[in-house]
Amino acid sequence: MKYSFLLSFALGAGWLLSPEALVIAGNSAGKLGWLTFPALAVAALLFGLSGNLLNQSQLSAKDGNEYLLLQNTTGTIPAIALTLASCIPLVILAATALLVTSGYTFNEVFLYWFPNFGFSFLLLTLLTLLQFFSEKIIFRAQIFFITLAAGGLLFLALFGIAGVDKPVTEVLRQPGSFSSASSAILLLLFAGTTLSGTTKRPFLMPITGFVIFSLWIFVSLSYVTPERLASSTIPYMTAARKVMGEPGRQIMGIIVISGTCASITGLMLLCRRMLSNIVITKNGAGLLSVKKQRWLFPPLVAIVTGLLMARGLAGDELLEVLLRGALILWLMHHTLLCLSALLMIRKNSQSMPLAGAISTAILIAALFTLLLNNPHRNEMLLFILSMLGIGGLLATIWFLIKQKPVTQTTT
Amino acid sequence: MKKLILLLSLLLLCGGLPAVAGDVPLMSKDELKAQLNSEALVILDVRSGRDWSSSEFKIKGAIRTPGSEIAEWSKNYTKDQALVLYCA
């Protein structure tokens, strides 16, 4: 399946514009102060370099199939397990968390009388139904969501910059203390950006993310105290209200809801694409092609997400731990892809790309930092191991059923 | 296939119904505002997780308390006090 660059970009940018990413950016800005800008630049550079590394390995660039790269290094079952564990929990948990946030936003910003959970379920239903349409329609909808969210955020940021009444240097000197954990979290902003076939232009998505977040962080630090940003659970709304008052809240409400739609649609399609890559068989007929998955994967995700919301996971602190765990699993998958690319390049007797090797080493260090510095690390580790275990079990069953998954190698 | 889509839509929408329905006596915003200065009034914010963190509205002075541990914290209050539980 071929993805045009613009569409791949729209898919990968979904998570970048999610309310969760805005919380990560706002809280990090509060903790790191001016240091957020270099930390964000490093995070963007790391993803640019790792995307470039995946591009150099050649195999991943072919139809954007990262799975083949992983399989070539780890073998079939571990590669299937890692792919399943990195994408399915993320799409389900992100959908659960983001839909709840959107429900509250709609209720509190737009219609008080409309129940927040009613809106969350309505949005889940509509986004699931969207997945039944042709990819052309899904992509058009995704571009609409992205334009609305990115346009709204840029408008608020530029409006805010125009109204800043203190010198730029003062804003850029906001005190902050370096924390490896707060810096490493910024890597999670770029989830999905390398999995959408955008590796042909590996720096474009990270640079776009860097520009958008830098502008928004600059405005947030100009209007809200770092302490408030660091402790707020909705720093984006606090900043929007300070920038533009009630209209600012309403614009941020639109950004949150469209960002949620973009994020869920993007993650859902990326996940479908990753799953379709797994099941390519020698004759090219996959059990779960992207088209066939339309009737299986989105309804399954919707039912599990709906059940999690109805069972009250949104009101449980555990959701945050699980979501962070799912994001770490995704980062783990990305890091292993980079390692696989390095090994493949070395195997093919090419010179070792130094920048790619350094960025992979930093990604590994960041992964450990995120794992070890989390106050709920035991629960998170248990979740990560469980997901990998379930992934392994499903991979084994899948392997036995299909018997001959991909045996393609690269040169 | 259309039936499948219809069934899925109904299932998802029905999943949200328990959240829409409710038969709990409520205190209106104005009623609460009128009593805000009363010393006998205690506002307990029993929201947790994302129910709390995603909400922009947090009543000043409200005490965050886990709703599930009512047997524990109810001992801390006398019968003269009016407890207002804020859950959504």
Side-chain angles (χ1 to χ4, degrees):
Chain A
M1 178 179 180
K2 294 194 186 300
Y3 286 77
S4 78
F5 176 74
L6 179 69
L7 298 174
S8 300
F9 186 85
L11 287 180
W15 174 259
L16 265 176
L17 295 162
S18 70
E20 199 61 28
L22 290 172
V23 172
I24 291 173
N27 288 161
S28 298
K31 287 173 191 158
L32 295 168
W34 70 272
L35 288 167
T36 321
F37 299 103
L40 190 63
V42 170
L45 183 68
L46 280 176
F47 273 90
L49 289 173
S50 56
N52 197 37
L53 180 68
L54 294 177
N55 203 20
Q56 279 179 32
S57 71
Q58 294 178 346
L59 188 56
S60 65
K62 187 188 172 188
D63 297 328
N65 191 343
E66 295 91 1
Y67 166 76
L68 292 178
L69 185 62
L70 201 57
Q71 192 215 32
N72 209 48
T73 317
T74 64
T76 302
I77 292 178
I80 296 176
L82 273 164
T83 308
L84 292 178
S86 69
C87 73
I88 296 177
L90 181 60
V91 73
I92 290 172
L93 292 164
T96 307
L98 297 177
L99 286 167
V100 170
T101 298
S102 279
Y104 271 98
T105 305
F106 185 76
N107 170 268
E108 294 182 353
V109 176
F110 299 110
L111 286 177
Y112 286 129
W113 56 266
F114 202 95
N116 47 359
F117 267 101
F119 183 77
S120 303
F121 276 97
L122 183 67
L123 207 57
L124 175 62
T125 308
L126 293 175
L127 291 175
T128 307
L129 289 178
L130 177 65
Q131 293 287 325
F132 291 131
F133 286 92
S134 70
E135 289 198 342
K136 200 175 170 183
I137 292 174
I138 301 174
F139 285 142
R140 279 182 183 168
Q142 178 69 351
I143 287 170
F144 173 73
F145 298 145
I146 292 283
T147 309
L148 211 55
L153 199 59
L154 281 174
F155 174 77
L156 266 184
L158 295 175
F159 188 89
I161 288 169
V164 174
D165 56 0
K166 44 186 162 186
V168 172
T169 48
E170 193 183 314
V171 179
L172 292 176
R173 278 188 205 145
Q174 289 279 7
S177 53
F178 178 75
S179 147
S180 54
S182 298
S183 307
I185 283 174
L186 288 171
L187 289 170
L188 302 180
L189 294 177
F190 297 93
T193 54
T194 52
L195 296 174
S196 51
T198 55
T199 46
K200 283 171 190 166
R201 291 183 196 175
F203 283 96
L204 193 66
M205 187 81 83
I207 287 173
T208 309
F210 173 74
V211 170
I212 292 176
F213 279 114
S214 291
L215 288 172
W216 182 244
I217 287 168
F218 177 81
V219 168
S220 299
L221 283 170
S222 304
Y223 286 82
V224 187
T225 61
E227 296 76 24
R228 184 92 193 270
L229 280 176
S231 61
S232 176
T233 53
I234 41 168
Y236 50 85
M237 200 54 98
T238 312
R241 200 171 44 225
K242 290 270 184 185
V243 168
M244 222 180 168
E246 187 54 28
R249 275 184 78 228
Q250 290 172 352
I251 293 172
M252 188 48 81
I254 294 169
I255 296 168
V256 166
I257 294 167
S258 52
T260 297
C261 294
S263 189
I264 294 173
T265 306
L267 286 174
M268 197 100 91
L269 261 185
L270 283 176
C271 204
R272 281 169 64 182
R273 179 174 161 264
M274 284 169 79
L275 293 179
S276 73
N277 284 340
I278 291 175
V279 293
I280 296 167
T281 52
K282 275 183 174 176
N283 60 8
L287 177 68
L288 284 175
S289 68
V290 173
K291 206 171 179 180
K292 282 179 187 169
Q293 278 180 53
R294 182 189 299 180
W295 308 111
L296 181 69
F297 185 68
L300 201 65
V301 168
I303 288 167
V304 177
T305 304
L307 282 173
L308 290 178
M309 287 200 295
R311 297 284 296 170
L313 185 66
D316 199 319
E317 306 290 344
L318 185 67
L319 176 61
E320 309 307 320
V321 180
L322 300 185
L323 180 57
R324 190 53 58 86
L327 283 165
I328 289 176
L329 268 169
W330 163 81
L331 189 62
M332 191 184 284
H333 175 258
H334 177 75
T335 309
L336 283 168
L337 279 176
C338 293
L339 267 176
S340 303
L342 278 174
L343 289 171
M344 184 177 288
I345 291 169
R346 195 181 168 85
K347 194 176 162 186
N348 293 343
S349 304
Q350 295 169 15
S351 59
M352 178 71 88
L354 188 64
I358 293 171
S359 65
T360 307
I362 297 173
L363 280 176
I364 294 169
L367 200 57
F368 278 103
T369 305
L370 285 172
L371 271 173
L372 300 175
N373 281 294
N374 195 289
H376 304 282
R377 65 172 171 269
N378 291 340
E379 294 96 320
M380 196 188 284
L381 275 171
L382 185 68
F383 169 73
I384 289 172
L385 290 174
S386 306
M387 289 302 107
L388 288 171
I390 293 169
L393 188 69
L394 288 173
T396 310
I397 296 168
W398 210 335
F399 186 79
L400 290 173
I401 292 171
K402 294 294 287 182
Q403 286 187 333
K404 283 185 180 178
V406 187
T407 51
Q408 188 176 339
T409 54
T410 185
T411 53
Chain B
M1 203 50 77
K2 280 179 183 171
K3 281 180 185 171
L4 180 74
I5 296 173
L6 188 67
L7 189 70
L8 177 75
S9 309
L10 284 173
L11 196 69
L12 286 171
L13 284 171
C14 288
L17 284 181
V20 179
D23 193 22
V24 182
L26 299 171
M27 178 183 256
S28 74
K29 200 166 60 179
D30 293 330
E31 282 175 302
L32 181 63
K33 261 186 186 171
Q35 294 181 40
L36 269 183
N37 293 326
S38 164
E39 285 184 10
L41 185 81
V42 181
I43 304 172
L44 299 164
D45 191 338
V46 292
R47 296 174 299 173
S48 58
R50 210 158 266 250
D51 288 344
W52 178 78
S53 65
S54 292
S55 174
E56 204 185 341
F57 299 148
K58 282 139 191 167
I59 301 172
K60 227 174 190 176
I63 302 163
R64 275 197 77 196
T65 314
S68 54
E69 294 168 21
I70 189 164
E72 290 295 314
W73 54 255
S74 59
K75 293 172 193 163
N76 300 332
Y77 303 101
T78 63
K79 286 184 178 174
D80 305 334
Q81 291 174 299
L83 302 182
V84 177
L85 272 67
Y86 180 41
C87 60

